[in-house]
Amino acid sequence: MTVEDTLRRWGSPEWRREASTWIQGAAASDGRTLTGQMRTLHMRFWSVVIEVPTDRGRLWFKECAPGQGFEPALLSTLAELEPDHFVRPVAVDARSGRVLLPDLGANLRGRGDEEWGLVVAALARLQQRLSTQHDPLASAGLPAMPAGDAVEYVDVLAQRLANLPSSHAQHLTVEAATRVLSRLDDVAEWSERLAASPIASTFQHNDASPANTFGRPGTEPRWIDVGDAFWSHPFAVLQVPIAMTTGTWPWGPDWSDPRAQVIAEGYLQQWRDHADLASLRDLLEPARRMAILHRCESWRRLLDDAGELADDPSHPILRDHLVAATGERRP
């Protein structure tokens, strides 16, 4: 099924009636009664989200596109493993990629750098605990993208994009492909540094943004939206929260920025049992590059099902991610 098919289905009265029936049944099984009209918050090519008012607070319904259809099962597994950091869904239908979640209150948009240092410290501790949970997370659908695979990934995707029609928005020109492939030695250098580091692969949320992070000051943070996640080098998780809070998204952060340093330091302090701080800091830039490939692969999964939508230049351009991952901050 293409994304056009999915969007047409989500916009149809038939789907709305069927989803409403599922939502009402799931809410009733949790002892809730709907108290008002359900409202579609967004319908994009990767998911549809609906706000559901009930007598016990709001619920949030989400159905994922096929490229992220594993998210509900993965979130449910994470909630079982780490209930203090992931909300337990009210209901999950893994077959159709849908989930019903309780409301978590206010997210962390607008919080200061010092508080974000505490948030990413909690994220580091979470990743360390989850490093022993590969099997249940993989069984729930978490994709693996280890640092050691970076060269092959860039090589294969660059050639694939170069073979697209020249009129296609995702096309990689001969000049751009040559430029990317000529820097594979650079990709090998930084990816091998990550792969050889004493920091083992674990859960990498890949979208731990202020919008997806919840919690009051002084409490443990909780995360949602795990459809972009990977099993990979954990330090790549820093790119989204730091780049977004310092205004350097999507290719940042700039590690010379004092704000980035404050946040990163809170994270790195949690890994001091694995290596000295200087060695850990040396992994930040390679991890930023790896994070760009993670984001690229997440979009690729979605765009592969997008049909004509993949040729829309307003959507993420995969070649930009390849260029940025090979060493240039602005493609």
Side-chain angles (χ1 to χ4, degrees):
M1 180 180 290
T2 67
V3 170
E4 291 102 323
D5 295 332
T6 299
L7 289 173
R8 279 194 294 269
R9 185 171 65 88
W10 286 341
S12 71
E14 295 78 14
W15 179 87
R16 181 76 183 201
R17 286 193 294 269
E18 190 273 328
S20 297
T21 299
W22 185 87
I23 292 168
Q24 292 179 55
S29 296
D30 194 49
R32 300 172 186 257
T33 302
L34 271 63
T35 58
Q37 192 75 18
M38 291 184 281
R39 180 175 69 96
T40 300
L41 187 66
H42 75 238
M43 185 170 66
R44 299 168 183 152
F45 72 88
W46 56 87
S47 69
V48 57
V49 175
I50 298 174
E51 180 183 5
V52 183
T54 81
D55 58 347
R56 290 171 47 203
R58 287 183 302 182
L59 296 175
W60 299 97
F61 168 86
K62 181 177 185 179
E63 185 169 303
C64 304
Q68 293 185 339
F70 61 86
E71 181 180 351
L74 177 59
L75 183 59
S76 183
T77 298
L78 286 165
E80 292 175 5
L81 296 173
E82 290 287 339
D84 291 337
H85 290 291
F86 295 94
V87 64
R88 186 178 295 278
V90 172
V92 165
D93 182 348
R95 181 183 58 82
S96 58
R98 60 176 51 165
V99 61
L100 190 63
L101 296 172
D103 189 66
L104 290 178
N107 59 32
L108 266 61
R109 282 183 172 136
R111 302 292 180 87
D113 298 347
E114 184 176 348
E115 183 173 349
W116 266 101
L118 299 175
V119 169
V120 296
L123 188 51
R125 295 190 295 270
L126 168 72
Q127 290 178 307
Q128 290 168 21
R129 293 191 299 273
L130 289 176
S131 66
T132 62
Q133 301 296 333
H134 172 269
D135 290 351
L137 294 176
S139 295
L142 178 64
M145 192 174 178
D149 290 352
V151 170
E152 181 181 5
Y153 179 82
V154 172
D155 188 6
V156 171
L157 185 56
Q159 295 188 55
R160 177 181 169 186
L161 297 181
N163 288 329
L164 290 173
S166 59
S167 59
H168 198 285
Q170 300 292 341
H171 174 69
L172 193 64
T173 66
V174 172
E175 294 78 12
T178 301
R179 180 177 161 197
V180 167
L181 296 176
S182 71
R183 295 185 63 85
L184 286 180
D185 286 347
D186 178 74
V187 176
E189 189 278 329
W190 63 253
S191 63
E192 287 168 6
R193 284 167 60 194
L194 287 178
S197 76
I199 310 299
S201 290
T202 184
F203 174 77
Q204 202 284 77
H205 185 293
N206 200 38
D207 198 14
S209 69
N212 293 334
T213 308
F214 295 78
R216 298 183 305 277
T219 65
E220 287 289 294
R222 304 179 89 181
W223 287 277
I224 60 169
D225 281 9
V226 297
D228 293 310
F230 289 96
W231 184 268
S232 191
H233 196 283
F235 286 17
V237 81
L238 285 174
Q239 194 228 13
V240 171
I242 298 183
M244 285 192 170
T245 55
T246 60
T248 56
W249 180 257
W251 313 119
D254 175 358
W255 297 114
S256 66
D257 185 329
R259 298 171 299 168
Q261 293 175 16
V262 167
I263 299 172
E265 200 68 14
Y267 181 85
L268 296 180
Q269 288 288 342
Q270 307 305 310
W271 299 92
R272 293 187 66 181
D273 289 345
H274 296 74
D276 61 86
L277 278 174
S279 298
L280 296 174
R281 291 184 190 112
D282 285 343
L283 298 174
L284 290 176
E285 177 57 17
R288 180 187 72 85
R289 307 269 199 96
M290 192 70 215
I292 291 170
L293 291 186
H294 288 163
R295 179 64 52 181
C296 181
E297 173 59 10
S298 182
W299 283 122
R300 185 207 61 78
R301 286 197 309 256
L302 292 167
L303 291 169
D304 267 4
D305 294 322
E308 293 180 0
L309 289 178
D311 195 15
D312 184 338
S314 69
H315 292 146
I317 303 300
L318 299 181
R319 65 171 178 268
D320 291 350
H321 292 74
L322 291 184
V323 171
T326 59
E328 299 187 34
R329 197 166 290 271
R330 291 181 177 84

